[in-house]
Amino acid sequence: MKKLLPHKWLLMLLAPIASGAAANSAQAQAWTLRLDLDGQEVVGTSVFNSPEKVLVLGVDGQIWEFAPSEAKNFAKVADGFTPWSQSQVRGELLREFGNQFEVTGTGHYLVVHPPGQRDQWANRFEQLHRSFQGYFTSRGFRVAPAQFPLVAVVFPTFAEYAKHSAKLGVRVSPGMVGYYSSRTNRVLMYDVSAGRTDDNFWEENAATMVHEATHQTAFNAGIHSRTAEQPKWIVEGLATMFEAPGVWNASAYRRASDRINRGRLDWFQDYAAKSRSPGSLKGLIQSDRVFAQRPDIAYSESWALCFYLVETDPRRFAQYLTTIAARPAASAYPAAQRIADFEAVFGSDWNMLEARFLRYIQALK
């Protein structure tokens, strides 16, 4: 009898998941497996597998991507899949970060922070989560409960933040105060104010928390998918939309004008008046290229388009978000499909859409 290579056994083990997901991904029965990857034990459930790549969603919420040949000692360990509880994740964080940090739990969050700084961080993250849920629920969006405790890690210095990020393969600069890691499902940032809450730099901390917590909540509430490619304009457009106080703190800022992101509006109106080319909207939809070429313009136009759609047509905007969040795991998202998905919801008359969009944004004061 021909002996199967170890990674062939892994693919055979995962095959029922793949066939079940192909037949009906919503009803496919997940189960728990254990394997060794680069000397580290991984426990989770498969969300995608092929002869070239496997994606495993860990019990702690992290996503592991690897080639089948890289996995060792794999086995099915349980029927079904049960994520870790908040207390289990908290214990793991305490072991990972040690006694130089404290871990504070709120309703949805576990925040790793320097000792004695609970009030500066934990409740703020929880408030942002509640604001996100309230904003989308009030506009008819279906917001799913988070499957895992949401984790944020605040480092006291840039050096510690940079060292930790390097282990994840992320290069950061002092100007990059924080980011959301879809792979680890964590927000990582450093305290640019060095613990001084009355420091002017604290505003930069607050802005980073709003933007990155929006990413994290969106990817955990079914608004975005962590396993399928998402258009960058929609991901960054929503996060920049929440930078406005009337969005993330609607109870204190009640006027419609408080929902406008003034910085992004100024950028976009100036760009539209001076150098924006006709047809730019379609270019933004079909490719993420503009984010690498002209990031300030890309972020501003993404904000403007998201703001326009959610303010004028929230029902179809919710339909579009549902469409892209349901894309197959690990699939490419070519330009033609991006355009087709957008047109299926908003129509194919790009000239009319662009004219209405520009007229609306240019009228904002």
Side-chain angles (χ1 to χ4, degrees):
M1 184 177 72
K2 182 179 180 180
K3 185 176 180 181
L4 289 173
L5 295 173
H7 67 272
K8 299 292 186 182
W9 283 112
L10 176 61
L11 291 175
M12 290 179 64
L13 184 67
L14 298 176
I17 296 180
S19 60
N24 189 338
S25 59
Q27 297 179 8
Q29 179 62 47
W31 44 265
T32 306
L33 59 90
R34 183 187 65 236
L35 55 88
D36 292 335
L37 189 64
D38 293 330
Q40 183 172 358
E41 183 182 77
V42 175
V43 180
T45 188
S46 172
V47 292
F48 175 81
N49 68 87
S50 73
E52 294 78 31
K53 180 167 65 176
V54 176
L55 296 180
V56 169
L57 177 63
V59 289
D60 61 351
Q62 299 194 59
I63 290 178
W64 302 88
E65 178 179 336
F66 53 92
S69 59
E70 295 178 291
K72 312 295 181 187
N73 303 322
F74 35 80
K76 178 180 177 179
V77 295
D79 292 319
F81 175 67
T82 302
W84 273 356
S85 66
Q86 190 176 74
S87 63
Q88 288 173 301
V89 175
R90 185 176 188 276
E92 187 66 20
L93 291 170
L94 288 169
R95 285 187 289 273
E96 179 180 354
F97 290 96
N99 58 13
Q100 294 184 352
F101 291 84
E102 293 177 356
V103 180
T104 296
T106 61
H108 298 89
Y109 263 93
L110 286 167
V111 181
V112 182
H113 56 79
Q117 296 185 9
R118 170 193 177 107
D119 293 340
Q120 292 176 225
W121 304 104
N123 291 333
R124 293 172 188 258
F125 276 106
E126 183 67 27
Q127 179 190 356
L128 292 169
H129 181 78
R130 290 197 300 268
S131 296
F132 183 99
Q133 289 183 308
Y135 180 87
F136 279 104
T137 301
S138 68
R139 285 160 176 79
F141 291 73
R142 188 176 70 175
V143 179
Q147 189 178 15
F148 304 93
L150 303 177
V151 174
V153 183
V154 182
F155 295 93
T157 67
F158 172 75
E160 291 169 277
Y161 162 68
K163 182 178 179 180
H164 186 88
S165 296
K167 294 177 182 178
L168 302 176
V170 179
R171 287 186 63 182
V172 296
S173 65
M176 185 179 175
V177 178
Y179 61 95
Y180 166 67
S181 165
S182 181
R183 183 177 79 76
T184 66
N185 203 28
R186 296 174 177 179
V187 168
L188 301 160
M189 62 180 294
Y190 77 101
D191 181 4
V192 72
S193 71
R196 300 185 298 273
T197 56
D198 58 344
D199 194 292
N200 290 334
F201 284 115
W202 176 255
E203 293 184 9
E204 196 166 348
N205 282 340
T208 299
M209 292 169 67
V210 170
H211 190 99
E212 303 308 331
T214 299
H215 283 323
Q216 186 178 41
T217 302
F219 276 101
N220 282 271
I223 303 296
H224 304 321
S225 169
R226 291 176 62 204
T227 60
E229 185 178 349
Q230 305 289 281
K232 197 164 185 176
W233 76 266
I234 200 78
V235 173
E236 297 301 341
L238 285 182
T240 52
M241 206 172 65
F242 268 79
E243 292 171 357
V247 179
W248 68 264
N249 192 7
S251 60
Y253 297 88
R254 299 176 178 272
R255 297 176 303 175
S257 60
D258 292 331
R259 296 197 296 273
I260 298 172
N261 185 326
R262 294 292 167 185
R264 305 296 179 183
L265 176 64
D266 290 345
W267 259 99
F268 182 74
Q269 287 183 334
D270 184 68
Y271 162 60
K274 295 179 180 178
S275 60
R276 187 179 184 275
S277 301
S280 295
L281 188 62
K282 194 170 186 178
L284 181 71
I285 303 301
Q286 70 183 5
S287 170
D288 297 337
R289 192 176 302 115
V290 68
F291 282 89
Q293 297 171 339
R294 303 187 71 180
D296 288 329
I297 287 171
Y299 277 82
S300 297
E301 185 148 9
S302 298
W303 166 80
L305 182 57
C306 280
F307 186 75
Y308 165 72
L309 293 174
V310 78
E311 290 286 329
T312 63
D313 201 350
R315 181 187 61 81
R316 287 202 290 179
F317 189 56
Q319 180 185 345
Y320 176 70
L321 287 174
T322 300
T323 296
I324 59 175
R327 297 192 66 256
S331 59
Y333 203 6
Q337 188 60 54
R338 293 183 181 217
I339 294 296
D341 288 345
F342 190 86
E343 290 182 344
V345 177
F346 299 107
S348 58
D349 191 338
W350 288 90
N351 290 334
M352 183 178 69
L353 175 62
E354 186 149 8
R356 290 178 174 175
F357 160 61
L358 291 174
R359 186 163 55 246
Y360 179 86
I361 296 298
Q362 287 167 347
L364 295 175
K365 304 296 183 184

